Amino acid sequence: MMLVLAVIQLIAISAVSAALYDVTKYGADRSGGIPSTDQIARAINDAAIHGAGIVHFPPGKYLTGPIELKSNIILDIADSTIITFLDDPALYPPLDATLPDGKQRRIEFTPLIRGVGVRNVAIRGNCVLEGNGAIWWDRLPPPATRPIFIYFSGSHNIVLKNIIIRNSPMFNVNIIWSNSIVVDGIRIRNPESYKGAGPNTDGINLLSVNRVHVTNVDVATGDDCLVLDAWGYGKDRDPTHDVLIENSHMSIGHSGVGIGSITAGGLRNITIRNCVFDSVCRGVDIRTNNVRGGVVEDILYQNLTMNNCTWEGISITALFPDYKDKGWHPIGDQTPFIRNIRYENIRGSAEREGIYLVGLPESPVENIVLENVDMRSKKPNPILLQNTRNIVINGRRY
Ligand SMILES: *[C@@H]1O[C@H](CO)[C@@H](O)[C@H](O)[C@H]1NC(C)=O
Ligand SMILES: *[C@@H]1O[C@H](CO)[C@@H](O)[C@H](O)[C@H]1NC(C)=O
Ligand SMILES: *[C@@H]1O[C@H](CO)[C@@H](O)[C@H](O)[C@H]1NC(C)=O
């Protein structure tokens, strides 16, 4: 089903993209010496004015400020090309965007590459996108924010294929309020954050999205490798659903695949399968707390290997982030619910608990099945359950 979807998307994009717009024809410099921000923008605008186009980067080294994508554009980057982003903060002013559905969103810095309210966009190529992050991490350590590398919001039909993203100032890929997304074969490389580098460099960060296929990605980064969130406030709920993550490798980040802690919009129908995680903090986790709200349900984890998790292996907690017991609260809009989660064929090792499931007294974590799960742990008690209901681990009911 997802494969069919991916193929449809690629066809949709190819169909609208006959003409080629070569950035060097617009004066872009490919020797790496002279910034080409305006030349690249002119090539993209020209393609957009003509309705669609392939904006092509011939082999070389390019230097640029932020790139704004338009609808019906493929950024097609030649093999071995390096595009380096300038690190002058003045080039990345705050960005206000109104999405097609009227939602307002302000981000503190213009992202390095952005698509706001666009349709049918792809970035592809066996190339390197270099974010020059070290200078930003130094200049603006947390809690300050820095520019996001690739950012989409309010967009439809997005494909990221084969690119290598290095040294992002902040999140590497951040897609919000969008649908029909394929992320295939990309590689993300940022240093580990505990060495004082790479702060908040989430690999792939997806918020309030649906119809998503992530496959063959390889992420090593200083924060979560992949995270799914869902925005919501009051009666306004923007769920995340119909997501397939497969055939991927995650290492050194905080979570291999994290769900939450922004759960208010609700997250459902998510499958994570055939992945290998090495030396991440938590292998797979779902995290929320008693003011986050939302329902997390119908999640399937299948065939995962997670070696050397430095914290827990499989984790669900409704006491994020500090794990302290907050006592009982009346059930309301802010109460999160976590239920109907299945783990099959999972193996690996963790410094802390292999299986850690913690709910709230007023909202236990419920209907959790773990089958053929072999998670070794350095703890005398490798399984911790608190405020749970109807848990089955390898055939035994808890
Ligand atoms: C769940 O998501 C998958 C995509 O991963 C989709 O093919 C399927 O139809 C969805 N199932 C339901 C019940 O919506
Ligand atoms: C399980 O995942 C591994 C690693 O991605 C993969 O090589 C293997 O083919 C998968 N097994 C099944 C039965 O899908
Ligand atoms: C386990 O992870 C730690 C921390 O990331 C790392 O230093 C160590 O080399 C890893 N060990 C193995 C066997 O991969």
Side-chain angles (χ1 to χ4, degrees), residues 192 194-195 251-253 278-281 307-310 349 351:
E192 297 173 72
Y194 67 78
K195 290 177 185 154
S251 50
I252 75 167
D278 284 304
S279 303
V280 295
C281 297
N307 295 312
N308 191 30
C309 298
T310 50
S349 58
E351 297 282 322

Side-chain angles (χ1 to χ4, degrees), residues 37-48:
T37 315
D38 295 341
Q39 292 77 1
I40 294 167
R42 279 206 293 276
I44 292 172
N45 285 335
D46 214 12

Side-chain angles (χ1 to χ4, degrees), residues 76-98:
D76 175 63
I77 306 164
D79 289 359
S80 309
T81 293
I82 302 179
I83 302 179
T84 300
F85 287 80
L86 296 159
D87 56 29
D88 174 4
L91 295 172
Y92 305 88
L95 178 75
D96 283 307
T98 304

Side-chain angles (χ1 to χ4, degrees), residues 247 274-276 303:
N247 307 329
N274 301 348
C275 293
V276 177
N303 186 28

